[in-house]
Amino acid sequence: MRSRARPRARAGLTLVAALAASLALAGCSTTGAPSPRGVTPEAASPSNSPSPHVTSPAELCTHLITYWAQQELDEGQGSGLDYQEKGLSDGQNEILLATLAAARQERAAHGSAAGDRLIEERAQRGCAERYRNGAPTTDPWAQTKLPTPSGSA
């Protein structure tokens, strides 16, 4: 019984590998028609794929705050992680704590759906304010660094 299962498993793996290879090759094929002189293949057949989106610092902040606020409220006790383990900066953690306090009050007064809407609004507003001019700080340790004498390496 065991000896029959191994050949079947190998045959299944071989089939999967062959399908994956054929799909990969199918995506690389061309029509074979030559492009007009001076026209690149990309320009001759425009792509329907969307442009990649670069996530801004404010969008990333909003996503993190929203995620951790909902985790905190849904779990009831929190994750047990500190803000650095959650991937938050000190400033983002301040936004999270303020958002959590407001969301708890909103949930108690108007239900969980209202609290969830408030989380989204507060996270977006707080993160937009924090990143309105790009990165909030350039070097948090700049004040502690000693100036180097000129001419030294």
Side-chain angles (χ1 to χ4, degrees):
M1 181 80 123
R2 194 172 204 190
S3 61
R4 289 184 197 171
R6 285 187 181 168
R8 285 184 186 168
R10 283 188 196 136
L13 288 174
T14 304
L15 178 63
V16 169
L19 285 173
S22 67
L23 288 174
L25 291 174
C28 297
S29 68
T30 62
T31 61
S35 298
R37 186 175 207 149
V39 177
T40 63
E42 293 81 19
S45 60
S47 174
N48 290 333
S49 64
S51 299
H53 173 74
V54 177
T55 304
S56 72
E59 289 172 322
L60 180 59
C61 171
T62 300
H63 175 74
L64 287 169
I65 301 302
T66 302
Y67 174 81
W68 287 114
Q70 289 173 343
Q71 288 292 321
E72 184 85 18
L73 293 177
D74 292 343
E75 296 295 320
Q77 300 173 10
S79 63
L81 302 174
D82 69 17
Y83 72 95
Q84 292 175 333
E85 291 171 313
K86 293 176 184 175
L88 302 174
S89 68
D90 184 47
Q92 291 168 338
N93 190 52
E94 289 175 14
I95 297 168
L96 174 62
L97 294 175
T99 299
L100 278 170
R104 283 186 179 109
Q105 290 178 348
E106 188 71 13
R107 277 187 168 197
H110 303 287
S112 62
D116 290 345
R117 282 191 302 273
L118 184 127
I119 288 171
E120 187 70 32
E121 292 167 9
R122 289 283 181 104
Q124 285 179 349
R125 192 174 342 131
C127 292
E129 176 65 25
R130 179 163 174 76
Y131 293 96
R132 71 184 176 279
N133 295 323
T137 60
T138 54
D139 186 358
W141 304 108
Q143 294 124 10
T144 61
K145 290 181 181 175
L146 297 174
T148 56
S150 59
S152 65

